[in-house]
Amino acid sequence: LRGLARREDTGQIKRWLATVTVRHATAKLRERAVWRLFDKGDATDYATLADPGASAEERQMIEDVYRALDTVSAKDRVAWVLRYVEGEQLEAVAELCGCSLATAKRRIATAHDKITRHVTGGRS
Amino acid sequence: MSLEQRLRQGPLLVRSLWTEEQTATLPDAVAQRQRRRALRQRIALSSSVATVLIGSVVALLVNSASVPSARQASTSAVRQPIPMATPVPSAEGRSVPAPGEQLTLVDGTRVTLDRGATFDVVQQTAQAVLCDLASGAATVEVIPNRPRSFTLRAGEVTVAVIGTVFRVERSAEQTQVAVERGHVSVSWAGGSQELRAGERGTFPPSSASDSVPPSDSDEPSRAGDRSWKQLAKAGDYNAAYRAFQQQSQPLQRVEELMLAADSARLSGHATEAIPHLSRVYREFPRDVQAPLAAFTVGRILADQLGRPMQAAEAFRAARALSSSGPLAGDAMAREVECLVQAGNVNQARDVAGRYLKLFPQGRHRPQMQKLAKQD
């Protein structure tokens, strides 16, 4: 919270909040992955993830994507979500993930490949 | 629509858990939360400080309330009169009740101070209680048949109590002792006197004529050596020593030996005091003066003659003669000190270990612990 006190405008606050959220989300995803090894993970209700304004087709797609994301490593997943769910630019993804642009691209590509194969049933 | 096609249109429409409004109000919310946290911290800090303060005040009150009981002493029998020539070792702790206060000990012993009196409880062990009347007057009522001796010092005069009621009044030079009930033993540099119920006396006597009534030691049959004793009792040790040198009568009693030793020691002839004192504790080991004589020999050897090994033996004899007496702890500590000075550290460490077992609350405990722990 000391970091927040130094931010003056909303843009800076959002950026600070995003950085904190990314770190926190990455840690939580890793923790969840460990619990899943022992079959102790919380069951996720994927049907509730979609925005109320999303179409039925998009709801299904989001559900499938998030099922696929559960098979992706935490770092790759966060990078992909930032890019394709939050709509961040690649540079912003790299900054938020604390990695280089090339690494961010590689993480997104890795996650995308897994998600695509999962959603299409391995057909692509 | 495939995933690739959908993603080209824009981000997936996942439900957002965060709104722009929350972002805008976040700083205020955080600031409010920080203020609440700071307030909680201040309250916690204030509570801690208040708790510590209240605890300190309670501890002080409890401590001050328990001071009288901490001074509890009970007496039954005089262990030994304590001549000023060999003062009792220093105090375990000092405390001064208010003038005019009546100090009632748990076992019933009462000390009533006159206004303006200054009274200290100097030493307290399971075996002895030593008090000091620095000025003014006090009436002491001691419950008899207790295992602990009660000794009161008033300047040069020491009153050892056997279970009695007595009054002590101290002036600049002398101390008046009056016994109401029971009897006490009064000692001063160069002499001692027992007072029984109804008797009173002023000590030390300012001259031979003012001295206490003659004791058995001054009976007419022994008139030849009366002069040096009277001089010693009057505190003129130089003259007493010179007079003693002229007499040839052998000393046969403890009182004579102690007086001769005091005359020699206090006139600057410490070495010559040793034979008299040694006779006391070797020939009369059961006498109440015996431990004191051995302790005094140890002090002379250690402090004046620089013979620590022999001093250690004398201190060992002192504590052997009175293992539970008031001198035992100090004798043991002095023995350790002398053994260290003599270079016998291993033996000193052994004795220090025994001291810690015998006197776990003794006033020499820190030094003994330090020595016992040394490798």
Side-chain angles (χ1 to χ4, degrees), chain B residues 249-303:
Chain B
Q249 192 80 22
L251 304 178
Q252 294 178 343
R253 291 187 297 181
V254 171
E255 187 190 355
E256 293 172 330
L257 290 164
M258 293 298 283
L259 209 52
D262 282 349
S263 299
R265 192 163 57 88
L266 299 173
S267 62
H269 305 86
T271 310
E272 290 169 53
I274 293 176
H276 302 307
L277 294 166
S278 299
R279 278 190 62 197
V280 170
Y281 73 87
R282 285 177 182 151
E283 294 178 18
F284 307 95
R286 293 188 177 182
D287 192 278
V288 291
Q289 301 272 31
L292 198 61
F295 192 89
T296 307
V297 169
R299 288 181 58 202
I300 292 171
L301 289 166
D303 301 341

Side-chain angles (χ1 to χ4, degrees), chain A:
Chain A
L1 291 177
R2 283 194 296 271
L4 179 64
R6 292 194 294 269
R7 271 73 184 175
E8 292 176 353
D9 59 42
T10 308
Q12 283 184 317
I13 293 169
K14 283 180 75 173
R15 186 60 59 191
W16 172 82
L17 194 59
T19 307
V20 172
T21 306
V22 165
R23 287 179 192 161
H24 186 69
T26 307
K28 278 287 175 189
L29 288 168
R30 283 177 177 156
E31 186 182 313
R32 191 195 289 181
V34 170
W35 282 114
R36 278 188 178 151
L37 288 175
F38 301 99
D39 198 24
K40 298 284 185 186
D42 293 334
T44 307
D45 186 2
Y46 298 100
T48 62
L49 292 171
D51 187 87
S55 64
E57 184 185 2
E58 183 150 3
R59 284 173 181 275
Q60 185 60 53
M61 186 178 288
I62 290 170
E63 198 175 326
D64 289 345
V65 166
Y66 271 84
R67 284 183 199 284
L69 281 171
D70 281 344
T71 66
V72 177
S73 74
K75 284 184 176 178
D76 294 349
R77 174 175 178 160
V78 166
W80 191 92
V81 169
L82 286 170
R83 180 75 182 93
Y84 292 114
V85 177
E86 299 298 331
E88 295 288 352
Q89 297 297 313
L90 286 170
E91 292 79 5
V93 173
E95 185 188 340
L96 289 170
C97 292
C99 62
S100 67
L101 184 60
T103 302
K105 285 179 182 176
R106 180 173 49 77
R107 287 178 183 176
I108 293 168
T110 304
H112 193 74
D113 184 50
K114 275 194 174 182
I115 293 164
T116 306
R117 276 191 280 118
H118 185 92
V119 170
T120 60
R123 290 189 298 275
S124 64

